[in-house]
Amino acid sequence: MGVPLSKEYNEYKNIAQHSSYSRDLIAPSLGACVPFLETVSHLSSENCCISYKLQSSCIGDRHFHASIQKKGLAAFLTVIDITHRKTNTICDIQTQNEIIPLPKKLLQYTDLQICNVVGLHYEWLVVQIFCQDGIKFLICDISTNTCLVQYTHKYVPQSKLKLYECHISPDRMFLVLKQNQLYQSLYNSNIEDGESVILLNIHLQIGTCTEEPCELLHSFISLALGRVAMTFDPRTDSDLIVYTSEMPDKLNREIYKGHIGLYKASRDSFLCTTGLLNQDFPALPGKFLNLQFLRDGSAIVLAVLGSVSPTRTISILCRNNFVTVYVLDPDCFQRTGSFSYVSHSQFQHFAPVISPSGTLACCAGKIYNIEHSRSQQNSVKSLKRLCYNVIVDFVLPEDIEHLPLPKSLKSYLR
């Protein structure tokens, strides 16, 4: 797994505050990585869907709304990127079968929409739609305005409606649908149906997915009481999942310890499990976990909401809002640094939103410049890396294809 590194972040030296939260901030001045600051007013507005408020890191810094419009025998999916003021119309979304949404009155006490955007993987957008025959998941390409894949998951008898989050493998062969942990705890805490994770194999040729057995993963998540965060490893063009969880100690069930390891989706097997020592990760166990890779795969970011033994006065006053962020080496899972902040709300948007370049992060309404170190690059950044950072932060993934660049450079930017 590699040799543990001794790199350590210092929140006063390597993490510098860039700017404060401001409604008057002009988004293009800071690039495509931070215009979510413009959506301040949406956080308290009825127009802000619950899927955005409780979004996972896969949606990142973009606020999407989706709706269905039916015209005769045709149905269109309209996707509005509120953050960047863009509208996409996806055609032919019911080529496989007719889409009949649930009556809105059935969702009036759930805080859910008929259409909920639950995932974003470069130019692929994943929309969850509540229909009469089941929950439909549409994978749409917002660069070509087409629906690539459609999958229907039948409702579980006597089960409440659920909100999922989505993770897509780098090779776009596997799709993981995981129940949104925040939504389940706040709105659906009494439901235990064993369907916390759905593993799907994507078939682009026929535009659908097939469900893969993952009994070992289901049993592991059940043992961890659903307190599991996961993401695909972007460094490998495969189905390798990095997960972290909080599980009770074998000797004392009242003591929870953090674990991180690797799971192979195609084989339904765990490759390794590494215990996170309490002295290295004092914020564990927390109320919720959020796990995300930097886009280039140089580091893993683990955000923990809440702390059992807060050490600062402000964290004692705002105990539920205290967030600790750990930066891990992806090869050995060694902690390379950490920093803390207090979130404005107990659950919504508690995790840091990291820019595509991995240099900027939004934490509780403030922009930080994170100078993360890499095992390959410990010296001054090259011109190639600086250009990469600027382009990926200012150009949206679906627009990279339209840049006047060779295909090799476009592949590098993705």
Side-chain angles (χ1 to χ4, degrees):
M1 294 301 296
V3 180
L5 303 180
S6 59
K7 301 174 294 185
E8 182 69 22
Y9 284 83
N10 184 297
E11 61 178 312
Y12 300 104
K13 293 182 180 180
N14 292 344
I15 300 177
Q17 182 177 337
H18 186 72
S19 63
S20 299
Y21 211 32
S22 173
R23 298 191 181 190
D24 300 327
L25 187 63
I26 300 176
S29 64
L30 292 177
C33 57
V34 291
F36 58 89
L37 293 180
E38 291 189 355
T39 63
V40 173
S41 59
H42 295 285
L43 298 182
S44 58
S45 171
E46 295 181 356
N47 295 326
C48 183
C49 53
I50 192 69
S51 60
Y52 175 73
K53 292 180 181 179
L54 304 180
Q55 70 179 359
S56 62
S57 59
C58 56
I59 301 180
D61 55 1
R62 303 178 69 174
H63 181 183
F64 289 96
H65 274 269
S67 61
I68 294 179
Q69 297 179 351
K70 303 193 72 173
K71 298 180 180 179
L73 299 178
F76 304 90
L77 179 69
T78 301
V79 178
I80 301 176
D81 185 349
I82 296 179
T83 307
H84 299 90
R85 302 185 181 93
K86 295 179 61 177
T87 301
N88 297 79
T89 301
I90 313 298
C91 305
D92 301 327
I93 64 173
Q94 60 178 18
T95 53
Q96 296 182 3
N97 48 27
E98 187 176 2
I99 294 180
I100 306 176
L102 281 180
K104 290 185 178 180
K105 63 180 181 180
L106 297 181
L107 281 73
Q108 59 184 348
Y109 299 114
T110 64
D111 283 338
L112 294 170
Q113 308 276 335
I114 293 294
C115 300
N116 299 271
V117 178
V118 297
L120 178 66
H121 182 78
Y122 296 98
E123 74 278 5
W124 279 18
L125 193 72
V126 182
V127 183
Q128 172 184 335
I129 305 175
F130 292 104
C131 298
Q132 294 186 12
D133 60 339
I135 304 176
K136 291 188 182 295
F137 295 92
L138 304 183
I139 300 179
C140 304
D141 189 332
I142 55 178
S143 64
T144 60
N145 292 336
T146 56
C147 180
L148 303 176
V149 175
Q150 183 178 137
Y151 168 74
T152 302
H153 181 67
K154 300 297 183 181
Y155 294 110
V156 177
Q158 298 180 351
S159 176
K160 293 182 180 179
L161 300 176
K162 305 167 190 167
L163 178 67
Y164 286 86
E165 62 183 53
C166 167
H167 303 276
I168 299 177
S169 62
D171 59 1
R172 301 189 176 188
M173 294 294 294
F174 284 89
L175 173 69
V176 171
L177 296 172
K178 178 180 175 294
Q179 282 193 36
N180 189 297
Q181 187 181 359
L182 294 177
Y183 181 82
Q184 184 177 6
S185 300
L186 294 175
Y187 298 88
N188 203 11
S189 58
N190 296 325
I191 299 300
E192 294 291 341
D193 54 27
E195 285 194 336
S196 56
V197 171
I198 304 173
L199 178 61
L200 301 174
N201 195 345
I202 302 175
H203 305 287
L204 286 177
Q205 297 82 359
I206 57 178
T208 187
C209 299
T210 56
E211 190 168 342
E212 297 290 332
C214 52
E215 288 82 4
L216 190 60
L217 183 60
H218 277 298
S219 60
F220 174 80
I221 294 178
S222 177
L223 183 63
L225 302 178
R227 305 178 73 175
V228 176
M230 60 180 62
T231 183
F232 282 96
D233 190 341
R235 300 172 302 165
T236 59
D237 194 23
S238 66
D239 56 343
L240 190 63
I241 296 176
V242 179
Y243 69 89
T244 183
S245 66
E246 299 171 4
M247 300 187 65
D249 188 73
K250 295 181 179 179
L251 300 178
N252 188 347
R253 306 293 293 182
E254 296 181 356
I255 299 177
Y256 281 78
K257 292 185 178 180
H259 294 266
I260 190 169
L262 301 176
Y263 172 79
K264 189 72 172 176
S266 58
R267 299 203 302 255
D268 188 26
S269 61
F270 294 99
L271 301 185
C272 71
T273 301
T274 304
L276 303 182
L277 302 179
N278 288 334
Q279 58 266 31
D280 292 335
F281 300 85
L284 292 175
K287 292 184 178 295
F288 296 102
L289 302 176
N290 181 276
L291 188 69
Q292 52 186 311
F293 261 93
L294 297 188
R295 184 169 174 175
D296 61 358
S298 61
I300 307 174
V301 178
L302 171 63
V304 182
L305 175 65
S307 177
V308 175
S309 55
T311 57
R312 300 184 182 183
T313 304
I314 191 170
S315 66
I316 297 176
L317 297 177
C318 308
R319 189 165 182 171
N320 292 337
N321 301 359
F322 190 72
V323 181
T324 302
V325 179
Y326 296 109
V327 184
L328 313 178
D329 187 284
D331 294 320
C332 58
F333 302 143
Q334 179 80 10
R335 192 186 85 167
T336 60
S338 63
F339 61 97
S340 304
Y341 56 90
V342 176
S343 179
H344 293 318
S345 61
Q346 291 187 358
F347 304 110
Q348 299 173 4
H349 299 285
F350 78 90
V353 177
I354 301 175
S355 67
S357 67
T359 58
L360 299 177
C362 178
C363 307
K366 294 182 180 179
I367 302 298
Y368 292 87
N369 185 4
I370 305 178
E371 293 295 336
H372 60 275
S373 55
R374 299 178 176 85
S375 57
Q376 302 92 343
Q377 287 180 303
N378 293 326
S379 58
V380 180
K381 293 181 180 179
S382 64
L383 178 61
K384 175 183 177 181
R385 187 66 201 184
L386 290 174
C387 293
Y388 172 86
N389 292 348
V390 172
I391 294 176
V392 297
D393 279 350
F394 278 80
V395 181
L396 297 176
E398 64 267 24
D399 294 334
I400 289 180
E401 185 63 29
H402 303 294
L403 294 177
L405 297 173
K407 290 184 178 179
S408 58
L409 286 180
K410 293 179 181 179
S411 301
Y412 170 72
L413 293 174
R414 294 186 56 181

